[in-house]
Amino acid sequence: MEKRAFITGITGQDGAYLAKFLLDKGYKVFGLVRRLSSPNFWRLEELGIKNEIECLDGDLTDEYSLNQAVKAAQPNEVYNLAAQSFVGTSWKQAVLTSEVTAIGTIKILNAVRDFAPAAKFYQASSSEMFGNSGGLDIKDENTALHPTSPYAISKLFAHWMAVNYKDSYGLFTCCGILFNHESSLRGIEFVTRKISDGVARIKLGMADKLQLGNLDSKRDWGFAGDYVEAMWAMLQQDKPDNYIVSTGKTHSVEDFCKEAFKVAGITDWKQYITQDPRYMRPSELHVLQGSSNKAKNILGWTPKVDFEGLVKMMVEADLRRLSKK
Ligand code: NAP
Ligand code: F7E
């Protein structure tokens, strides 16, 4: 029988790639879509799947709408990807971030518990939950959690709620502790896409500088298209569990800039970069690097796109987009 998947956050980067991946596998895909003044379907349209998705109205802060959506979808699998996902904004809108990212997760868990209790549930947990715990050490599933932002604290709450609903009510919940993953569908405010777009603009003579914050912070950056495959693989196991998904390599924001300018063929790149205090954070997470050995051993998952391949893909996509304009 055709499997049914319900995705919250389907209009976001991961939601779009996951929907495409599941449609290609023959799933019927339902997506939660919230009301905005202008619809946000550009990612689903870029992947050519907008008309293959059944959109259900709802918002993670509105319990009734979630109950109705889960009832209508009758899913075998639920992927909770919706969140206020931008760390920078989470200090300015800590209450909203908690309401969507933390409390919203209880609401969707309750909807699943009441209306689709046999469904397997994926929770989008984050490497941000580690904070600076363990310093420069490579993080694994046993590393202590010490979140450094309202976003990370909200994700930690949601993570433990998903674990608790497994322990308390026997729900099949898996948490994917995903390290940063990027693509040409990444939101423009995240640093990688800001750089790929900025470099493309400089190359095409549409801008003459790129304003950034902390150039020294390091992240374990992978490709979103690879990471959604791990989400699905977690829900295909017989037992629910939590897994880190990462590349195992780490690079600084400056490394990302250097590589992006290289792809664009610009050698004197340092002259284009300025640092702006507006993009510094009240509390920084300095270095992230994760071990996905457990995902490799149990799920058979490994990343296919490396750092250089990711940067190339993103800069070339932005050059193509901007050249059309
Ligand atoms: P994203 O592009 O920012 O997408 C977020 C999605 O959440 C969008 O579809 C957005 O809808 C939706 N959303 C926001 N507030 C909502 C609300 N109140 N009700 C319903 N939907 C709402 O994020 P992403 O990069 O795809 O990440 C997917 C998930 O993984 C997020 O939970 C994120 O926190 C987590 N995560 C991401 C990374 C990463 O590196 N990308 C790493 C670890 C964990 P609109 O389109 O209407 O705004
Ligand atoms: O920042 C530094 C910034 O906003 C990365 C989300 O998907 O991954 C993401 O969170 C680093 C930080 O991502 C700028 O200070 C420097 O150290 O791209 P980002 P993030 O905060 O790591 C995690 C795993 C998630 O779960 C989140 O949802 O880059 N940085 N200059 C800058 N960051 C931004 N945004 N803009 C700058 O100008």
Side-chain angles (χ1 to χ4, degrees):
M1 246 189 27
E2 186 184 52
K3 272 195 168 181
R4 298 159 76 87
F6 175 56
I7 305 175
T8 73
I10 197 160
T11 52
Q13 170 188 258
D14 293 6
Y17 278 113
L18 178 65
K20 168 105 178 69
F21 177 75
L22 294 174
L23 285 167
D24 289 346
K25 286 206 166 292
Y27 278 69
K28 167 96 183 139
V29 176
F30 297 84
L32 187 79
V33 175
R34 64 175 169 159
R35 198 265 161 186
L36 294 173
S37 61
S38 309
N40 180 25
F41 291 124
W42 67 273
R43 296 181 174 95
L44 298 173
E45 281 159 0
E46 262 197 37
L47 295 180
I49 55 170
K50 164 74 182 66
N51 296 331
E52 293 178 57
I53 310 275
E54 183 145 340
C55 295
L56 299 169
D57 290 337
D59 193 294
L60 224 57
T61 57
D62 184 312
E63 200 160 352
Y64 179 77
S65 68
L66 296 177
N67 292 344
Q68 295 305 307
V70 172
K71 258 197 235 177
Q74 278 305 302
N76 307 100
E77 294 171 14
V78 176
Y79 296 86
N80 184 34
L81 308 185
Q84 190 305 91
S85 71
F86 189 52
V87 175
T89 292
S90 77
W91 279 281
K92 295 174 186 148
Q93 299 182 20
V95 173
L96 177 125
T97 302
S98 313
E99 281 173 357
V100 177
T101 308
I103 304 299
T105 303
I106 312 183
K107 291 179 180 163
I108 185 74
L109 281 165
N110 281 337
V112 171
R113 185 183 161 209
D114 285 346
F115 300 109
K120 294 184 170 183
F121 183 93
Y122 174 84
Q123 171 58 22
S125 293
S126 166
S127 55
E128 283 285 307
M129 300 188 310
F130 293 117
N132 291 308
S133 155
L136 301 181
D137 293 352
I138 297 185
K139 321 292 183 225
D140 65 23
E141 286 81 1
N142 299 314
T143 303
L145 303 169
H146 190 136
T148 56
S149 67
Y151 166 80
I153 293 164
S154 300
K155 279 289 178 190
L156 186 68
F157 178 95
H159 176 86
W160 282 112
M161 271 295 163
V163 172
N164 183 259
Y165 271 50
K166 174 176 65 177
D167 297 342
S168 305
Y169 308 119
L171 251 58
F172 190 111
T173 65
C174 295
C175 300
I177 306 170
L178 270 53
F179 283 61
N180 300 52
H181 45 283
E182 319 292 315
S183 71
S184 59
L185 301 185
R186 188 60 144 149
I188 198 81
E189 73 271 50
F190 296 95
V191 78
T192 55
R193 181 76 205 294
K194 183 172 170 184
I195 296 169
S196 65
D197 175 78
V199 167
R201 282 175 194 275
I202 290 167
K203 175 73 180 176
L204 297 172
M206 298 161 81
D208 56 11
K209 64 178 177 197
L210 178 54
Q211 289 180 308
L212 295 168
N214 179 11
L215 300 177
D216 297 327
S217 76
K218 295 175 94 174
R219 292 291 183 271
D220 180 332
W221 280 298
F223 170 52
D226 287 345
Y227 284 34
V228 299
E229 298 192 14
M231 297 177 187
W232 174 80
M234 287 176 212
L235 298 198
Q236 308 318 304
Q237 303 305 304
D238 293 334
K239 286 194 186 139
D241 206 348
N242 305 332
Y243 299 86
I244 281 183
V245 179
S246 62
T247 69
K249 308 258 166 60
T250 192
H251 294 91
S252 66
V253 172
E254 184 167 330
D255 293 337
F256 198 104
C257 291
K258 189 175 171 189
E259 188 63 30
F261 278 107
K262 189 172 141 196
V263 172
I266 297 170
T267 46
D268 54 347
W269 58 277
K270 280 197 173 163
Q271 62 163 305
Y272 296 106
I273 303 218
T274 57
Q275 276 187 289
D276 187 326
R278 279 182 304 161
Y279 302 114
M280 303 290 186
R281 294 179 174 178
S283 159
E284 181 61 283
L285 198 174
H286 303 291
V287 181
L288 276 175
Q289 187 171 10
S291 160
S292 52
N293 282 343
K294 181 176 172 185
K296 184 179 176 191
N297 294 335
I298 299 176
L299 309 178
W301 179 89
T302 47
K304 297 182 199 104
V305 177
D306 65 7
F307 177 74
E308 288 76 17
L310 175 68
V311 180
K312 185 168 187 291
M313 187 192 291
M314 291 181 71
V315 173
E316 288 180 350
D318 276 320
L319 281 168
R320 272 195 306 277
R321 274 191 190 119
L322 292 166
S323 301
K324 276 190 206 151
K325 286 186 186 168

